[in-house]
Amino acid sequence: MRKFSYLKQLLIAVVLISTGSFSAKAQYSLGFTANYGLATDDLAKAAKNAFGGTLQLRYHYDDYIKMGIDVGYISFENKNTDSKVSPLIDGNKLNILPITAVFEVHFNNNKFHPFMAIDLGWAYANLKLITNSKNFVIVAPQFGLDYAVSDQLFIRASVKDNILIYNRLNSGSDLMSYIGLNVGAYYKF
């Protein structure tokens, strides 16, 4: 339950920052993407593909550079196989809650805005590990395209390689990854 109080505090902070941007006329945007997760490598042997979503808050330094925070959720159904990941999933589903800092570079200032981004942060996942850890590092390079419907409203599509780093044993690390296919929109204040 304590983990969810941190999430609640983060969501309150996101709402306060976005509310403050209305009065400050700052260049912020708030968006949401629906995500389809393609399990890869060891995760593909352990779990089926997944659905989820991501809430995105960005500060626009200019038309080409954006920084912000993403808060997401994705859930993979456990295949219950003898793979190295499947027995580590606590329950019938692997639920991942990533919270990341994001840096985006956009390449065009017209209707179409192709971009590259990197996410870096931590993720909560219900894994049963010897280390008893539930928090993991996540790194996610991303490529995408924003389409300007108006000066404030943008449609977004992107592909993100989510790499979760976890300690299965008391020493060493393992990687678990999934490709996120993301579609959504954001509104620029």
Side-chain angles (χ1 to χ4, degrees), residues 27-30 60 63 151-154 186-189:
Q27 294 295 304
Y28 287 96
S29 64
L30 185 63
H60 300 238
D63 289 334
D151 288 342
Q152 286 81 32
L153 182 62
F154 295 82
Y186 67 90
Y187 187 81
K188 187 175 175 183
F189 302 105

Side-chain angles (χ1 to χ4, degrees), residues 4-5 22 28 35 42 46-47 82 89 94 97 102 104 108 138 176-177 181 188:
F4 292 107
S5 68
F22 278 118
Y28 287 96
N35 309 330
D42 291 330
D82 60 354
I89 298 173
L94 172 61
L97 182 94
V102 182
E104 293 181 9
N108 197 334
I138 189 166
M176 184 182 336
S177 66
L181 304 175
K188 187 175 175 183

